[in-house]
Amino acid sequence: MNVTRGFAGRPRVRNDGLPPGQYDARDDWPVLSAEVTPELATSQWTFTVDGLVAEKRTWNWDEAHALPPSAYEGDIHCVTSWSKFGVRFAGVSLDTFLDLARPTAEATHAVAYSHTGYTTNLPLADLTGGRAWIVWEYGDRPLPAEHGGPARLIVPHLYFWKSAKWIAGIRLLDHDEPGFWEQNGYHHRGNPWEEQRYSGD
Amino acid sequence: MSSTTSMSSAASVASAPATRFAVPGRIAVSNRAAATWQCATLTEIRRETPHASTFRFAVPAWAGHLPGQHLMLRLRAEDGYVAQRHYSIASPPDDDGHVELTLDHVDGGEVSGWFHTVAKPGDEVELRGPLSGFFAWPGDRPALLIGAGSGVVPLMSMVRHHRARNLTVPLRLLVSARAPEELIYASEYGAETTPVFTRSAPEGVAVGRVAAAHVARLLADGPDSGWEAYVCGSNGFAEHASRLLVDAGQPVDRIRIERFG
């Protein structure tokens, strides 16, 4: 691509943590949901792991909080081109939930679904090995509703549309099925380091 | 594999849960168009308000779009640094080989800053799109559009489409601006539009934000089949307007929201 006449960009220092095409949102945390923010009380929230599992399991708020805690500290990247560094989310590792439900050998993919009806698909391998969490705290405070509170999924190594807000469950499948944004033209996996933004990238 | 008895035969044919809100996407998105960067030549700049201008581009290979869709635009600096942003498309589909964007001049914005202080006709940028079918409106169903500030941009593409094609499907626009001089596209609105002013208004017009009464009136005035609602604006505005719609009885699964930070 040609250089844009007269465009210098804002002053910048080299940042190895910034995937290609991203900028540092610093203190901003834009909200980018397509649906109406639900008024979901913690007493109404449940999280289910079902589909290709040995045992379908559902946890309510208190049951989920009784599991061993785990936190993520690091960076997040949104497909709309902002990244945010050094954030902290606290909750429970998704491994903990999956270990209790025991995925069967056929399970290769998952669809995460929300209490709003939002869906997004992921390879199971992207959800295991300490790479995904169900979180209810952001920076030691309850996760705000517009950012997915009372609880959301985070899969920080992928673009953030994979990190379903208002998470209701994970369904394990033996094949890949596109979710909401994937049906609307977005990439099936969404690796920020490979700029997998849209189908065909 | 586990031999647990709770493993039912139904589980082995598990499929994804259906998305419940406002889906499927209104159109199939072209993967190729979305993935291909194209050269666009700036042909015209029109001042809309003190803080917003419309930028018209010739894009000879543009595959077309539907009102409500957006595109991704990128600028490249001499050292290879690239800045890319999503922008809603302001122009209607029937504008062969051209697209228009209306951009606010954001304080310190590196891309909007370039557009507002450097760009002139003849400059070339790159863009890809159209993107996302979710907020698109093909002109098929009655549409209630609610926007604030530059959130009116994708909604104006819908109004222009409605007008250009002489569509008879009902369409209403509720648009909020701080003041009359900050109302984007002010000269183009017709009977379909209700402007709302939050800081200062023309004489005889009340000052205030979009309120339950506005929404109630539009819902009461709606077709028997109800409206598809399209809300676009800052997150604060989108939260406010979508909550008013829900409280007035608009079904959650017939509200589409486009927020910008």
Side-chain angles (χ1 to χ4, degrees):
Chain A
M1 165 199 182
N2 295 329
V3 168
T4 312
R5 183 191 63 82
F7 176 69
R10 65 166 69 94
R12 54 193 173 271
V13 291
R14 184 179 159 80
N15 183 342
D16 291 333
L18 203 58
Q22 298 291 107
Y23 70 93
D24 182 353
R26 299 175 183 277
D27 295 334
D28 289 343
W29 188 9
V31 174
L32 290 154
S33 356
E35 70 268 55
V36 178
T37 301
E39 292 177 331
L40 184 63
T42 56
S43 59
Q44 298 169 291
W45 181 84
T46 56
F47 176 67
T48 296
V49 177
D50 65 1
L52 298 177
V53 292
E55 188 182 358
K56 174 184 169 179
R57 295 287 299 263
T58 296
W59 294 264
N60 66 23
W61 186 252
D62 291 338
E63 290 162 349
H65 280 65
L67 297 172
S70 178
Y72 169 74
E73 289 188 60
D75 310 333
I76 57 176
H77 311 288
C78 177
V79 70
T80 61
S81 77
W82 57 265
S83 291
K84 196 165 171 57
F85 294 109
V87 297
R88 177 184 161 86
F89 289 101
V92 170
S93 170
L94 193 61
D95 289 316
T96 303
F97 294 99
L98 291 172
D99 287 348
L100 292 165
R102 287 173 289 143
T104 67
E106 295 94 336
T108 57
H109 290 80
V111 169
Y113 55 96
S114 296
H115 285 275
T116 60
Y118 177 81
T119 57
T120 187
N121 57 322
L122 299 113
L124 182 54
D126 277 319
L127 292 173
T128 55
R131 300 209 288 171
W133 289 260
I134 301 299
V135 300
W136 35 72
E137 279 184 14
Y138 172 76
D140 300 321
R141 289 176 170 274
L143 184 66
E146 62 186 11
H147 287 299
R152 74 181 295 168
L153 172 68
I154 61 162
V155 191
H157 68 285
L158 299 178
Y159 282 128
F160 224 45
W161 89 81
K162 295 290 180 181
S163 296
K165 296 178 178 182
W166 312 294
I167 188 76
I170 303 279
R171 183 165 297 166
L172 300 185
L173 311 173
D174 59 6
H175 60 282
D176 195 12
E177 276 193 46
F180 171 74
W181 281 122
E182 296 81 14
Q183 292 169 31
N184 279 288
Y186 284 67
H187 196 277
H188 275 219
R189 180 144 185 267
N191 180 347
W193 296 96
E194 296 177 13
E195 280 212 86
Q196 295 171 338
R197 299 177 191 274
Y198 302 103
S199 298
D201 277 349
Chain B
M1 178 184 158
S2 165
S3 59
T4 309
T5 50
S6 62
M7 161 99 186
S8 70
S9 58
S12 64
V13 291
S15 62
T19 304
R20 291 197 304 270
F21 65 94
V23 286
R26 301 302 302 279
I27 53 153
V29 176
S30 158
N31 294 342
R32 213 180 60 185
T36 307
W37 288 100
Q38 309 184 50
C39 184
T41 305
L42 187 57
T43 60
E44 186 189 340
I45 302 173
R46 294 198 306 272
R47 172 72 66 187
E48 300 283 358
T49 73
H51 303 291
S53 290
T54 292
F55 299 86
R56 181 171 175 80
F57 300 90
V59 196
W62 187 247
H65 62 275
L66 286 177
Q69 286 192 285
H70 60 267
L71 53 73
M72 198 170 208
L73 183 144
R74 76 178 177 192
L75 307 180
R76 185 185 294 264
E78 274 187 25
D79 64 358
Y81 173 80
V82 164
Q84 47 190 14
R85 300 286 185 275
H86 284 103
Y87 292 116
S88 292
I89 300 166
S91 46
D94 299 332
D95 194 3
D96 260 2
H98 288 81
V99 293
E100 293 186 357
L101 308 177
T102 300
L103 310 189
D104 274 330
H105 192 172
V106 180
D107 273 347
E110 61 176 353
V111 175
S112 75
W114 180 84
F115 271 103
H116 282 270
T117 61
V118 178
K120 61 183 187 191
D123 281 339
E124 292 182 348
V125 301
E126 285 206 315
L127 48 81
R128 63 193 292 202
L131 302 171
S132 183
F134 174 66
F135 203 72
W137 181 69
D140 54 348
R141 300 184 200 162
L144 173 57
L145 318 178
I146 307 181
S150 56
V152 74
V153 171
L155 309 179
M156 195 60 197
S157 178
M158 300 176 189
V159 172
R160 287 167 167 165
H161 180 56
H162 190 265
R163 206 166 282 166
R165 293 275 183 96
N166 289 315
L167 300 179
T168 54
V169 62
L171 181 85
R172 298 284 184 282
L173 170 64
L174 187 58
V175 57
S176 175
R178 276 191 288 257
E181 62 272 19
E182 292 191 38
L183 181 63
I184 299 173
Y185 315 127
S187 66
E188 285 188 58
Y189 298 123
E192 80 289 326
T193 299
T194 307
V196 176
F197 300 101
T198 57
R199 301 266 176 84
S200 66
E203 241 182 80
V205 177
V207 171
R209 68 198 299 219
V210 168
H214 294 113
V215 174
R217 205 173 304 138
L218 288 163
L219 290 188
D221 184 32
D224 291 345
S225 58
W227 299 106
E228 296 296 310
Y230 291 79
V231 175
C232 186
S234 67
N235 180 57
F237 178 81
E239 285 290 302
H240 172 67
S242 62
R243 185 52 53 197
L244 289 178
L245 282 166
V246 170
D247 290 347
Q250 174 72 9
V252 171
D253 60 2
R254 296 182 71 182
I255 301 174
R256 292 160 202 270
I257 304 176
E258 186 118 304
R259 308 163 193 253
F260 48 81

